[in-house]
Amino acid sequence: GRKTKDRGVVEDNILESKLFHRLHKMENVSKLIDYSERTGEEAFSQHAKKRAQRMMHYNVSFRPFTATIQPSSVTANRKSNNKTTRSNNNNVSFDAGGFQGSTNYDYDDGESVSESVSSDSQNSSGSSSIFMRTPTSFPPTPTSRLYYFDRGSRFTENVVFLARDQLRVERGVGNHNEQTRAMSKALIDGSRLAVFDAAQAGSGIALSCGQHIATKVGNSLYCSARSMIPVMRNSYVYFEISVSPPPPTAAMGDASGGGGGSMLLPQVVDAATLSVGLSTLTLPLDTLVGVCKGSVGLCSTGQILHAGQWLSPSSVHDSSYGSNSTVGCLVYLDDSSAYDTSEGQWITADVTFNINGMIVPSTLYNVSSGDQIIRGSTSKQSLLGENGNGGEPTLSLIVDKTRELFPTVTLHSPATCVMCRFSAEDMLANTRSEIGALSGVIVYAVDGSVILDESDDDDFRGSSSPCNDFFRGNAF
């Protein structure tokens, strides 16, 4: 019986020690030596007790008490520096009348230590967890609690998305496609995922949902974000960027349709302005994608910014977009198209944009790059398209052969929110004709997963991802 009692005392001491060390990490605390409540005295009125209890999340005693504490090491060091000799045991007393804390030690710098009402061990919640939220650390107001729970919800979403992405990569290692296996192994070895890169996102960009969603929160004119991994070379790579539905704004309107009165009604304002495209790491994150060499962007206005040149497709109406839209991009980075210039070797990347499954028409223009002038598109995809095997690309991008090409989005309007779709299971497009892919070629996603096999004639592979409905309609 004595051994059992001693074991219980040891366990209690270990728990108290853990709790003390955890609290000390958050803030310098003092160790409690002795505690006793004074019976027959009241510090609060009955009304004040009820009001204070509503702010607490555990049972707390409101009786006056006397506590003996041992100052922390920080306090002891400060005392030694001030050359003030005091006893380590200090009595803290709270009187019933004024309920003012008083201490029997001071410091030369005028700083004093005061203690507040402590919780009664017998009336506490009884929880033995050292990770419990105390009334002091838990947000007391509804607004602060909303922020606290929202932060916890965002953390949960990040964990779920991260776990899903890692499982997809691990599953890709056993895929029958050799290129998918190689990409999955590279992602595992490099500890990278097909998401927005936090290190390659502007200061006004907030990433959420495992870095799949980018939201503009800053005041900068342009805020850009790049993917964590580049597109594969010598392969058809396709990705999508979905724009969130616009937030409703309050507007005056008549609910009954008559003139008897008016009320506030939600009004949808489609004010999302952004640009979706491709860029190298040379593009600054506070500029619009397409202003630098080796970058291109399809703006929501319908214009295309290509290496600093504004281009207008044959139909601006067909190439403009806004909130609740999905912009797709099919790219083929062809190493075999390399040619020498005074600035080094450059290669061609065929880029095909689509908006909600409608291909952006091809742009015919002259592009000067180094010592060579290229008109329109002369690469493999363009030539095959002219032979009737598929659609002609929207444009050809000239890229430095030593640079990698990354999916990029630039947010302009405030609170604009977009979601990247860099995996085959997240795509919204359904057919080759919607993305402009040639028949008989393999189309990969950014993460290396196969979207269309060479044997697939038209339909995309079935998707079981819940992300397909994430931005559809009002399911944001």
Side-chain angles (χ1 to χ4, degrees):
R2 181 177 181 83
K3 290 183 178 180
T4 304
K5 182 178 180 180
D6 292 342
R7 189 183 300 114
V9 173
V10 172
E11 290 178 354
D12 291 342
N13 292 336
I14 294 175
L15 182 61
E16 291 178 0
S17 178
K18 289 182 178 180
L19 179 59
F20 174 77
H21 287 300
R22 178 169 179 81
L23 293 175
H24 193 72
K25 288 181 179 179
M26 295 186 293
E27 188 177 357
N28 294 326
V29 296
S30 301
K31 185 175 292 186
L32 179 65
I33 303 301
D34 182 63
Y35 170 85
S36 61
E37 293 184 356
R38 298 201 291 268
T39 59
E41 300 182 24
E42 292 293 337
F44 287 112
S45 64
Q46 193 67 22
H47 175 72
K49 287 183 180 179
K50 291 182 179 180
R51 184 177 180 181
Q53 191 65 45
R54 287 197 296 266
M55 303 292 293
M56 301 297 181
H57 299 269
Y58 299 96
N59 293 326
V60 176
S61 174
F62 294 102
R63 290 190 294 269
F65 64 88
T66 300
T68 304
I69 61 173
Q70 179 181 357
S72 62
S73 58
V74 176
T75 304
N77 292 335
R78 188 180 299 169
K79 288 173 63 180
S80 62
N81 292 336
N82 293 329
K83 297 181 180 181
T84 303
T85 305
R86 294 288 186 268
S87 173
N88 284 338
N89 293 337
N90 306 277
N91 292 326
V92 181
S93 177
F94 289 87
D95 296 330
F99 197 64
Q100 300 291 330
S102 61
T103 64
N104 60 356
Y105 60 89
D106 307 301
Y107 298 130
D108 293 341
D109 55 3
E111 183 179 358
S112 61
V113 176
S114 61
E115 297 291 337
S116 60
V117 177
S118 175
S119 60
D120 184 5
S121 58
Q122 295 180 354
N123 296 331
S124 63
S125 60
S127 174
S128 61
S129 173
I130 64 175
F131 306 102
M132 67 179 182
R133 285 282 178 176
T134 65
T136 302
S137 60
F138 197 86
T141 64
T143 302
S144 58
R145 283 196 293 268
L146 178 63
Y147 172 79
Y148 172 77
F149 287 122
D150 183 60
R151 185 176 60 180
S153 176
R154 291 197 304 269
F155 175 77
T156 303
E157 290 176 347
N158 290 333
V159 171
V160 172
F161 274 89
L162 177 62
R164 185 203 65 173
D165 294 338
Q166 290 180 342
L167 290 174
R168 285 179 175 178
V169 173
E170 294 176 359
R171 186 176 58 187
V173 176
N175 193 279
H176 69 280
N177 187 281
E178 182 179 357
Q179 197 157 346
T180 302
R181 295 196 302 269
M183 174 60 79
S184 299
K185 187 176 184 303
L187 292 178
I188 294 176
D189 294 340
S191 300
R192 306 182 77 82
L193 295 172
V195 294
F196 286 122
D197 191 356
Q200 291 295 323
S203 57
I205 295 288
L207 301 180
S208 58
C209 290
Q211 299 179 201
H212 284 268
I213 293 181
T215 306
K216 183 179 180 182
V217 295
N219 296 323
S220 302
L221 183 61
Y222 296 120
C223 298
S224 298
R226 272 188 286 264
S227 64
M228 188 177 291
I229 56 178
V231 298
M232 295 184 293
R233 293 172 177 263
N234 306 312
S235 300
Y236 288 91
V237 180
Y238 178 74
F239 67 91
E240 293 178 343
I241 299 293
S242 294
V243 189
S244 72
T249 58
M252 296 301 294
D254 190 357
S256 62
S262 61
M263 61 179 294
L264 285 176
L265 296 176
Q267 182 182 18
V268 174
V269 178
D270 191 358
T273 53
L274 66 154
S275 183
V276 177
L278 298 156
S279 72
T280 61
L281 295 179
T282 58
L283 176 76
L285 297 176
D286 58 351
T287 58
L288 189 63
V289 57
V291 300
C292 298
K293 287 185 177 181
S295 66
V296 63
L298 175 62
C299 298
S300 54
T301 58
Q303 295 176 302
I304 296 177
L305 184 58
H306 176 279
Q309 302 180 24
W310 285 104
L311 310 173
S312 295
S314 56
S315 176
V316 178
H317 175 73
D318 294 336
S319 58
S320 60
Y321 60 94
S323 300
N324 208 19
S325 300
T326 296
V327 180
C329 180
L330 178 68
V331 56
Y332 185 87
L333 191 59
D334 189 7
D335 280 339
S336 63
S337 64
Y339 60 92
D340 295 325
T341 68
S342 59
E343 298 179 352
Q345 280 195 330
W346 293 75
I347 58 177
T348 302
D350 280 334
V351 181
T352 303
F353 289 110
N354 76 83
I355 301 173
N356 298 326
M358 299 295 294
I359 300 296
V360 176
S362 175
T363 58
L364 297 178
Y365 55 90
N366 292 334
V367 178
S368 176
S369 176
D371 298 333
Q372 185 171 350
I373 296 180
I374 299 178
R375 176 174 176 81
S377 179
T378 59
S379 62
K380 176 181 176 182
Q381 182 181 356
S382 177
L383 296 177
L384 290 176
E386 292 176 356
N387 293 331
N389 294 330
E392 187 178 358
T394 304
L395 55 88
S396 288
L397 177 65
I398 309 303
V399 185
D400 187 348
K401 189 177 182 179
T402 61
R403 301 285 184 180
E404 299 291 347
L405 206 56
F406 295 82
T408 308
V409 60
T410 300
L411 305 181
H412 173 255
S413 56
T416 302
C417 182
V418 298
M419 177 180 182
C420 66
R421 301 182 185 274
F422 294 157
S423 180
E425 298 182 23
D426 296 337
M427 300 302 172
L428 297 182
N430 296 317
T431 61
R432 286 182 181 269
S433 59
E434 290 183 351
I435 68 173
L438 301 172
S439 59
V441 299
I442 303 177
V443 180
Y444 297 91
V446 177
D447 65 349
S449 56
V450 177
I451 300 176
L452 284 168
D453 203 346
E454 55 186 358
S455 60
D456 295 334
D457 293 334
D458 198 38
D459 292 338
F460 272 35
R461 295 178 177 273
S463 172
S464 59
S465 173
C467 290
N468 283 350
D469 296 326
F470 199 74
F471 273 3
R472 286 191 184 274
N474 295 323
F476 171 62

